[in-house]
PDB file of all heavy atoms in Angstrom:
ATOM      1  N   GLU I   1     109.974  69.006 102.080  1.00  0.00           N
ATOM      2  CA  GLU I   1     109.251  70.157 101.547  1.00  0.00           C
ATOM      3  C   GLU I   1     107.977  70.419 102.338  1.00  0.00           C
ATOM      4  O   GLU I   1     107.643  71.566 102.652  1.00  0.00           O
ATOM      5  CB  GLU I   1     108.884  69.910 100.078  1.00  0.00           C
ATOM      6  CG  GLU I   1     110.039  70.026  99.117  1.00  0.00           C
ATOM      7  CD  GLU I   1     109.590  69.811  97.681  1.00  0.00           C
ATOM      8  OE1 GLU I   1     108.382  69.923  97.408  1.00  0.00           O
ATOM      9  OE2 GLU I   1     110.460  69.530  96.843  1.00  0.00           O
ATOM     10  N   ILE I   2     107.267  69.340 102.667  1.00  0.00           N
ATOM     11  CA  ILE I   2     106.021  69.484 103.439  1.00  0.00           C
ATOM     12  C   ILE I   2     106.320  70.066 104.812  1.00  0.00           C
ATOM     13  O   ILE I   2     105.621  70.972 105.304  1.00  0.00           O
ATOM     14  CB  ILE I   2     105.305  68.131 103.543  1.00  0.00           C
ATOM     15  CG1 ILE I   2     104.842  67.673 102.150  1.00  0.00           C
ATOM     16  CG2 ILE I   2     104.111  68.215 104.494  1.00  0.00           C
ATOM     17  CD1 ILE I   2     104.296  66.266 102.126  1.00  0.00           C
ATOM     18  N   ASP I   3     107.384  69.556 105.460  1.00  0.00           N
ATOM     19  CA  ASP I   3     107.757  70.079 106.783  1.00  0.00           C
ATOM     20  C   ASP I   3     108.112  71.559 106.694  1.00  0.00           C
ATOM     21  O   ASP I   3     107.708  72.378 107.548  1.00  0.00           O
ATOM     22  CB  ASP I   3     108.945  69.295 107.334  1.00  0.00           C
ATOM     23  CG  ASP I   3     108.578  67.864 107.670  1.00  0.00           C
ATOM     24  OD1 ASP I   3     107.369  67.583 107.832  1.00  0.00           O
ATOM     25  OD2 ASP I   3     109.490  67.028 107.768  1.00  0.00           O
ATOM     26  N   MET I   4     108.878  71.911 105.664  1.00  0.00           N
ATOM     27  CA  MET I   4     109.274  73.309 105.502  1.00  0.00           C
ATOM     28  C   MET I   4     108.055  74.197 105.201  1.00  0.00           C
ATOM     29  O   MET I   4     107.982  75.342 105.636  1.00  0.00           O
ATOM     30  CB  MET I   4     110.308  73.441 104.372  1.00  0.00           C
ATOM     31  CG  MET I   4     111.661  72.823 104.685  1.00  0.00           C
ATOM     32  SD  MET I   4     112.529  73.662 106.041  1.00  0.00           S
ATOM     33  CE  MET I   4     112.116  72.556 107.390  1.00  0.00           C
ATOM     34  N   ALA I   5     107.103  73.648 104.433  1.00  0.00           N
ATOM     35  CA  ALA I   5     105.896  74.416 104.121  1.00  0.00           C
ATOM     36  C   ALA I   5     105.108  74.727 105.389  1.00  0.00           C
ATOM     37  O   ALA I   5     104.639  75.852 105.597  1.00  0.00           O
ATOM     38  CB  ALA I   5     105.031  73.648 103.122  1.00  0.00           C
ATOM     39  N   ASN I   6     104.959  73.716 106.237  1.00  0.00           N
ATOM     40  CA  ASN I   6     104.232  73.926 107.496  1.00  0.00           C
ATOM     41  C   ASN I   6     104.951  74.937 108.386  1.00  0.00           C
ATOM     42  O   ASN I   6     104.318  75.797 109.010  1.00  0.00           O
ATOM     43  CB  ASN I   6     104.073  72.596 108.230  1.00  0.00           C
ATOM     44  CG  ASN I   6     103.171  71.638 107.482  1.00  0.00           C
ATOM     45  OD1 ASN I   6     102.307  72.064 106.717  1.00  0.00           O
ATOM     46  ND2 ASN I   6     103.370  70.355 107.684  1.00  0.00           N
ATOM     47  N   LEU I   7     106.277  74.814 108.447  1.00  0.00           N
ATOM     48  CA  LEU I   7     107.048  75.743 109.267  1.00  0.00           C
ATOM     49  C   LEU I   7     106.951  77.163 108.714  1.00  0.00           C
ATOM     50  O   LEU I   7     106.746  78.129 109.472  1.00  0.00           O
ATOM     51  CB  LEU I   7     108.511  75.295 109.317  1.00  0.00           C
ATOM     52  CG  LEU I   7     109.462  76.193 110.105  1.00  0.00           C
ATOM     53  CD1 LEU I   7     109.017  76.309 111.552  1.00  0.00           C
ATOM     54  CD2 LEU I   7     110.892  75.672 110.023  1.00  0.00           C
ATOM     55  N   ALA I   8     107.088  77.312 107.395  1.00  0.00           N
ATOM     56  CA  ALA I   8     107.006  78.644 106.789  1.00  0.00           C
ATOM     57  C   ALA I   8     105.643  79.274 107.026  1.00  0.00           C
ATOM     58  O   ALA I   8     105.534  80.479 107.283  1.00  0.00           O
ATOM     59  CB  ALA I   8     107.301  78.558 105.292  1.00  0.00           C
ATOM     60  N   GLN I   9     104.592  78.448 106.954  1.00  0.00           N
ATOM     61  CA  GLN I   9     103.239  78.961 107.210  1.00  0.00           C
ATOM     62  C   GLN I   9     103.137  79.516 108.630  1.00  0.00           C
ATOM     63  O   GLN I   9     102.599  80.604 108.858  1.00  0.00           O
ATOM     64  CB  GLN I   9     102.232  77.825 107.000  1.00  0.00           C
ATOM     65  CG  GLN I   9     100.815  78.128 107.469  1.00  0.00           C
ATOM     66  CD  GLN I   9     100.138  79.183 106.633  1.00  0.00           C
ATOM     67  OE1 GLN I   9     100.490  79.369 105.482  1.00  0.00           O
ATOM     68  NE2 GLN I   9      99.187  79.894 107.199  1.00  0.00           N
ATOM     69  N   SER I  10     103.648  78.756 109.604  1.00  0.00           N
ATOM     70  CA  SER I  10     103.582  79.194 111.001  1.00  0.00           C
ATOM     71  C   SER I  10     104.398  80.463 111.230  1.00  0.00           C
ATOM     72  O   SER I  10     103.946  81.396 111.903  1.00  0.00           O
ATOM     73  CB  SER I  10     104.084  78.072 111.912  1.00  0.00           C
ATOM     74  OG  SER I  10     103.294  76.919 111.765  1.00  0.00           O
ATOM     75  N   LEU I  11     105.602  80.501 110.669  1.00  0.00           N
ATOM     76  CA  LEU I  11     106.472  81.654 110.895  1.00  0.00           C
ATOM     77  C   LEU I  11     105.932  82.902 110.191  1.00  0.00           C
ATOM     78  O   LEU I  11     106.034  84.018 110.719  1.00  0.00           O
ATOM     79  CB  LEU I  11     107.881  81.344 110.399  1.00  0.00           C
ATOM     80  CG  LEU I  11     108.607  80.219 111.162  1.00  0.00           C
ATOM     81  CD1 LEU I  11     109.980  79.979 110.568  1.00  0.00           C
ATOM     82  CD2 LEU I  11     108.714  80.558 112.643  1.00  0.00           C
ATOM     83  N   ALA I  12     105.350  82.720 109.001  1.00  0.00           N
ATOM     84  CA  ALA I  12     104.761  83.866 108.302  1.00  0.00           C
ATOM     85  C   ALA I  12     103.592  84.435 109.094  1.00  0.00           C
ATOM     86  O   ALA I  12     103.414  85.656 109.191  1.00  0.00           O
ATOM     87  CB  ALA I  12     104.309  83.444 106.896  1.00  0.00           C
ATOM     88  N   GLN I  13     102.789  83.537 109.689  1.00  0.00           N
ATOM     89  CA  GLN I  13     101.668  83.996 110.499  1.00  0.00           C
ATOM     90  C   GLN I  13     102.167  84.741 111.740  1.00  0.00           C
ATOM     91  O   GLN I  13     101.596  85.758 112.145  1.00  0.00           O
ATOM     92  CB  GLN I  13     100.806  82.801 110.911  1.00  0.00           C
ATOM     93  CG  GLN I  13      99.534  83.162 111.662  1.00  0.00           C
ATOM     94  CD  GLN I  13      98.611  84.021 110.827  1.00  0.00           C
ATOM     95  OE1 GLN I  13      98.317  83.671 109.690  1.00  0.00           O
ATOM     96  NE2 GLN I  13      98.154  85.137 111.374  1.00  0.00           N
ATOM     97  N   HIS I  14     103.250  84.211 112.333  1.00  0.00           N
ATOM     98  CA  HIS I  14     103.813  84.864 113.520  1.00  0.00           C
ATOM     99  C   HIS I  14     104.314  86.267 113.185  1.00  0.00           C
ATOM    100  O   HIS I  14     104.056  87.237 113.925  1.00  0.00           O
ATOM    101  CB  HIS I  14     104.959  84.008 114.070  1.00  0.00           C
ATOM    102  CG  HIS I  14     105.724  84.673 115.164  1.00  0.00           C
ATOM    103  ND1 HIS I  14     106.876  85.396 114.930  1.00  0.00           N
ATOM    104  CD2 HIS I  14     105.496  84.746 116.503  1.00  0.00           C
ATOM    105  CE1 HIS I  14     107.333  85.877 116.070  1.00  0.00           C
ATOM    106  NE2 HIS I  14     106.523  85.501 117.045  1.00  0.00           N
ATOM    107  N   ALA I  15     105.017  86.397 112.054  1.00  0.00           N
ATOM    108  CA  ALA I  15     105.530  87.709 111.651  1.00  0.00           C
ATOM    109  C   ALA I  15     104.384  88.670 111.363  1.00  0.00           C
ATOM    110  O   ALA I  15     104.407  89.845 111.767  1.00  0.00           O
ATOM    111  CB  ALA I  15     106.430  87.567 110.430  1.00  0.00           C
ATOM    112  N   ALA I  16     103.350  88.146 110.661  1.00  0.00           N
ATOM    113  CA  ALA I  16     102.200  89.002 110.348  1.00  0.00           C
ATOM    114  C   ALA I  16     101.496  89.453 111.626  1.00  0.00           C
ATOM    115  O   ALA I  16     101.070  90.609 111.749  1.00  0.00           O
ATOM    116  CB  ALA I  16     101.229  88.251 109.435  1.00  0.00           C
ATOM    117  N   ASP I  17     101.373  88.521 112.596  1.00  0.00           N
ATOM    118  CA  ASP I  17     100.735  88.887 113.865  1.00  0.00           C
ATOM    119  C   ASP I  17     101.523  89.983 114.585  1.00  0.00           C
ATOM    120  O   ASP I  17     100.949  90.887 115.213  1.00  0.00           O
ATOM    121  CB  ASP I  17     100.625  87.652 114.758  1.00  0.00           C
ATOM    122  CG  ASP I  17      99.628  86.644 114.228  1.00  0.00           C
ATOM    123  OD1 ASP I  17      98.822  87.022 113.348  1.00  0.00           O
ATOM    124  OD2 ASP I  17      99.646  85.491 114.690  1.00  0.00           O
ATOM    125  N   THR I  18     102.855  89.875 114.506  1.00  0.00           N
ATOM    126  CA  THR I  18     103.693  90.874 115.188  1.00  0.00           C
ATOM    127  C   THR I  18     103.466  92.263 114.608  1.00  0.00           C
ATOM    128  O   THR I  18     103.253  93.246 115.340  1.00  0.00           O
ATOM    129  CB  THR I  18     105.170  90.480 115.045  1.00  0.00           C
ATOM    130  OG1 THR I  18     105.368  89.195 115.661  1.00  0.00           O
ATOM    131  CG2 THR I  18     106.066  91.507 115.729  1.00  0.00           C
ATOM    132  N   PHE I  19     103.481  92.382 113.276  1.00  0.00           N
ATOM    133  CA  PHE I  19     103.321  93.695 112.664  1.00  0.00           C
ATOM    134  C   PHE I  19     101.853  94.137 112.666  1.00  0.00           C
ATOM    135  O   PHE I  19     101.572  95.340 112.588  1.00  0.00           O
ATOM    136  CB  PHE I  19     103.902  93.689 111.250  1.00  0.00           C
ATOM    137  CG  PHE I  19     105.404  93.650 111.257  1.00  0.00           C
ATOM    138  CD1 PHE I  19     106.086  92.467 111.024  1.00  0.00           C
ATOM    139  CD2 PHE I  19     106.143  94.790 111.559  1.00  0.00           C
ATOM    140  CE1 PHE I  19     107.467  92.425 111.050  1.00  0.00           C
ATOM    141  CE2 PHE I  19     107.523  94.756 111.580  1.00  0.00           C
ATOM    142  CZ  PHE I  19     108.194  93.573 111.342  1.00  0.00           C
ATOM    143  N   GLU I  20     100.934  93.185 112.772  1.00  0.00           N
ATOM    144  CA  GLU I  20      99.525  93.540 112.957  1.00  0.00           C
ATOM    145  C   GLU I  20      99.337  94.231 114.309  1.00  0.00           C
ATOM    146  O   GLU I  20      98.594  95.213 114.441  1.00  0.00           O
ATOM    147  CB  GLU I  20      98.659  92.284 112.877  1.00  0.00           C
ATOM    148  CG  GLU I  20      97.164  92.535 112.918  1.00  0.00           C
ATOM    149  CD  GLU I  20      96.649  93.148 111.620  1.00  0.00           C
ATOM    150  OE1 GLU I  20      97.177  92.813 110.551  1.00  0.00           O
ATOM    151  OE2 GLU I  20      95.711  93.974 111.706  1.00  0.00           O
ATOM    152  N   LEU I  21     100.036  93.697 115.329  1.00  0.00           N
ATOM    153  CA  LEU I  21      99.986  94.322 116.651  1.00  0.00           C
ATOM    154  C   LEU I  21     100.586  95.727 116.604  1.00  0.00           C
ATOM    155  O   LEU I  21     100.020  96.686 117.164  1.00  0.00           O
ATOM    156  CB  LEU I  21     100.759  93.447 117.648  1.00  0.00           C
ATOM    157  CG  LEU I  21     100.913  94.018 119.056  1.00  0.00           C
ATOM    158  CD1 LEU I  21      99.551  94.206 119.723  1.00  0.00           C
ATOM    159  CD2 LEU I  21     101.802  93.099 119.900  1.00  0.00           C
ATOM    160  N   ALA I  22     101.718  95.855 115.903  1.00  0.00           N
ATOM    161  CA  ALA I  22     102.347  97.174 115.781  1.00  0.00           C
ATOM    162  C   ALA I  22     101.415  98.149 115.071  1.00  0.00           C
ATOM    163  O   ALA I  22     101.281  99.319 115.470  1.00  0.00           O
ATOM    164  CB  ALA I  22     103.664  97.055 115.033  1.00  0.00           C
ATOM    165  N   ASP I  23     100.747  97.685 114.024  1.00  0.00           N
ATOM    166  CA  ASP I  23      99.834  98.542 113.269  1.00  0.00           C
ATOM    167  C   ASP I  23      98.685  99.030 114.161  1.00  0.00           C
ATOM    168  O   ASP I  23      98.285 100.206 114.121  1.00  0.00           O
ATOM    169  CB  ASP I  23      99.294  97.765 112.070  1.00  0.00           C
ATOM    170  CG  ASP I  23      98.524  98.654 111.113  1.00  0.00           C
ATOM    171  OD1 ASP I  23      98.879  99.834 110.965  1.00  0.00           O
ATOM    172  OD2 ASP I  23      97.537  98.176 110.521  1.00  0.00           O
ATOM    173  N   THR I  24      98.162  98.124 114.973  1.00  0.00           N
ATOM    174  CA  THR I  24      97.056  98.492 115.866  1.00  0.00           C
ATOM    175  C   THR I  24      97.486  99.554 116.873  1.00  0.00           C
ATOM    176  O   THR I  24      96.773 100.539 117.125  1.00  0.00           O
ATOM    177  CB  THR I  24      96.547  97.240 116.593  1.00  0.00           C
ATOM    178  OG1 THR I  24      96.114  96.286 115.629  1.00  0.00           O
ATOM    179  CG2 THR I  24      95.392  97.570 117.517  1.00  0.00           C
ATOM    180  N   VAL I  25      98.656  99.336 117.481  1.00  0.00           N
ATOM    181  CA  VAL I  25      99.164 100.300 118.466  1.00  0.00           C
ATOM    182  C   VAL I  25      99.401 101.659 117.813  1.00  0.00           C
ATOM    183  O   VAL I  25      99.039 102.716 118.345  1.00  0.00           O
ATOM    184  CB  VAL I  25     100.448  99.759 119.117  1.00  0.00           C
ATOM    185  CG1 VAL I  25     101.077 100.832 120.009  1.00  0.00           C
ATOM    186  CG2 VAL I  25     100.144  98.507 119.932  1.00  0.00           C
ATOM    187  N   LEU I  26     100.018 101.654 116.612  1.00  0.00           N
ATOM    188  CA  LEU I  26     100.318 102.913 115.935  1.00  0.00           C
ATOM    189  C   LEU I  26      99.044 103.650 115.549  1.00  0.00           C
ATOM    190  O   LEU I  26      98.975 104.894 115.630  1.00  0.00           O
ATOM    191  CB  LEU I  26     101.166 102.640 114.689  1.00  0.00           C
ATOM    192  CG  LEU I  26     102.593 102.133 114.948  1.00  0.00           C
ATOM    193  CD1 LEU I  26     103.303 101.852 113.637  1.00  0.00           C
ATOM    194  CD2 LEU I  26     103.391 103.143 115.768  1.00  0.00           C
ATOM    195  N   ASN I  27      98.018 102.928 115.132  1.00  0.00           N
ATOM    196  CA  ASN I  27      96.743 103.567 114.778  1.00  0.00           C
ATOM    197  C   ASN I  27      96.163 104.327 115.983  1.00  0.00           C
ATOM    198  O   ASN I  27      95.612 105.427 115.855  1.00  0.00           O
ATOM    199  CB  ASN I  27      95.746 102.519 114.286  1.00  0.00           C
ATOM    200  CG  ASN I  27      96.041 102.098 112.858  1.00  0.00           C
ATOM    201  OD1 ASN I  27      96.647 102.842 112.098  1.00  0.00           O
ATOM    202  ND2 ASN I  27      95.619 100.884 112.502  1.00  0.00           N
ATOM    203  N   GLY I  28      96.261 103.686 117.165  1.00  0.00           N
ATOM    204  CA  GLY I  28      95.748 104.339 118.372  1.00  0.00           C
ATOM    205  C   GLY I  28      96.484 105.625 118.685  1.00  0.00           C
ATOM    206  O   GLY I  28      95.872 106.654 119.051  1.00  0.00           O
ATOM    207  N   VAL I  29      97.807 105.602 118.557  1.00  0.00           N
ATOM    208  CA  VAL I  29      98.598 106.802 118.863  1.00  0.00           C
ATOM    209  C   VAL I  29      98.340 107.891 117.828  1.00  0.00           C
ATOM    210  O   VAL I  29      98.182 109.079 118.165  1.00  0.00           O
ATOM    211  CB  VAL I  29     100.091 106.451 118.927  1.00  0.00           C
ATOM    212  CG1 VAL I  29     100.932 107.710 119.154  1.00  0.00           C
ATOM    213  CG2 VAL I  29     100.350 105.445 120.048  1.00  0.00           C
ATOM    214  N   VAL I  30      98.286 107.499 116.535  1.00  0.00           N
ATOM    215  CA  VAL I  30      98.032 108.480 115.476  1.00  0.00           C
ATOM    216  C   VAL I  30      96.682 109.154 115.695  1.00  0.00           C
ATOM    217  O   VAL I  30      96.523 110.378 115.544  1.00  0.00           O
ATOM    218  CB  VAL I  30      98.098 107.794 114.094  1.00  0.00           C
ATOM    219  CG1 VAL I  30      97.528 108.725 113.013  1.00  0.00           C
ATOM    220  CG2 VAL I  30      99.524 107.416 113.766  1.00  0.00           C
ATOM    221  N   HIS I  31      95.698 108.371 116.068  1.00  0.00           N
ATOM    222  CA  HIS I  31      94.364 108.928 116.307  1.00  0.00           C
ATOM    223  C   HIS I  31      94.402 109.981 117.422  1.00  0.00           C
ATOM    224  O   HIS I  31      93.812 111.080 117.296  1.00  0.00           O
ATOM    225  CB  HIS I  31      93.397 107.799 116.664  1.00  0.00           C
ATOM    226  CG  HIS I  31      92.012 108.294 116.996  1.00  0.00           C
ATOM    227  ND1 HIS I  31      91.122 108.747 116.039  1.00  0.00           N
ATOM    228  CD2 HIS I  31      91.369 108.425 118.205  1.00  0.00           C
ATOM    229  CE1 HIS I  31      89.991 109.116 116.616  1.00  0.00           C
ATOM    230  NE2 HIS I  31      90.117 108.926 117.930  1.00  0.00           N
ATOM    231  N   ARG I  32      95.095 109.698 118.527  1.00  0.00           N
ATOM    232  CA  ARG I  32      95.178 110.638 119.645  1.00  0.00           C
ATOM    233  C   ARG I  32      95.889 111.923 119.210  1.00  0.00           C
ATOM    234  O   ARG I  32      95.485 113.034 119.566  1.00  0.00           O
ATOM    235  CB  ARG I  32      95.901 110.008 120.834  1.00  0.00           C
ATOM    236  CG  ARG I  32      95.122 108.864 121.473  1.00  0.00           C
ATOM    237  CD  ARG I  32      95.904 108.300 122.665  1.00  0.00           C
ATOM    238  NE  ARG I  32      95.995 109.257 123.754  1.00  0.00           N
ATOM    239  CZ  ARG I  32      95.155 109.305 124.781  1.00  0.00           C
ATOM    240  NH1 ARG I  32      94.148 108.456 124.854  1.00  0.00           N
ATOM    241  NH2 ARG I  32      95.305 110.207 125.728  1.00  0.00           N
ATOM    242  N   LEU I  33      96.952 111.745 118.435  1.00  0.00           N
ATOM    243  CA  LEU I  33      97.706 112.911 118.012  1.00  0.00           C
ATOM    244  C   LEU I  33      96.880 113.806 117.087  1.00  0.00           C
ATOM    245  O   LEU I  33      96.910 115.036 117.177  1.00  0.00           O
ATOM    246  CB  LEU I  33      98.996 112.479 117.313  1.00  0.00           C
ATOM    247  CG  LEU I  33     100.090 111.947 118.232  1.00  0.00           C
ATOM    248  CD1 LEU I  33     101.169 111.255 117.430  1.00  0.00           C
ATOM    249  CD2 LEU I  33     100.709 113.104 119.043  1.00  0.00           C
ATOM    250  N   GLU I  34      96.163 113.202 116.160  1.00  0.00           N
ATOM    251  CA  GLU I  34      95.399 113.994 115.205  1.00  0.00           C
ATOM    252  C   GLU I  34      94.151 114.617 115.844  1.00  0.00           C
ATOM    253  O   GLU I  34      93.626 115.613 115.367  1.00  0.00           O
ATOM    254  CB  GLU I  34      95.022 113.136 114.003  1.00  0.00           C
ATOM    255  CG  GLU I  34      96.246 112.754 113.166  1.00  0.00           C
ATOM    256  CD  GLU I  34      95.870 111.994 111.908  1.00  0.00           C
ATOM    257  OE1 GLU I  34      94.725 111.489 111.839  1.00  0.00           O
ATOM    258  OE2 GLU I  34      96.714 111.909 110.994  1.00  0.00           O
TER     259      GLU I  34
END
């Protein structure tokens, strides 16, 4: 359980980082368009 908890924490952070990057890029494009 402890091993799985550590792994889930890392993978959740990785997924959040990925969509955080997407959000940042999209904000820049939306700003230019508007």
Side-chain angles (χ1 to χ4, degrees):
E1 285 182 18
I2 295 172
D3 292 340
M4 292 295 99
N6 293 334
L7 178 59
Q9 169 68 25
S10 300
L11 295 179
Q13 185 61 51
H14 172 266
D17 291 345
T18 299
F19 288 101
E20 186 72 34
L21 175 62
D23 190 33
T24 301
V25 173
L26 292 178
N27 283 335
V29 176
V30 167
H31 177 74
R32 293 181 67 94
L33 286 167
E34 292 185 343

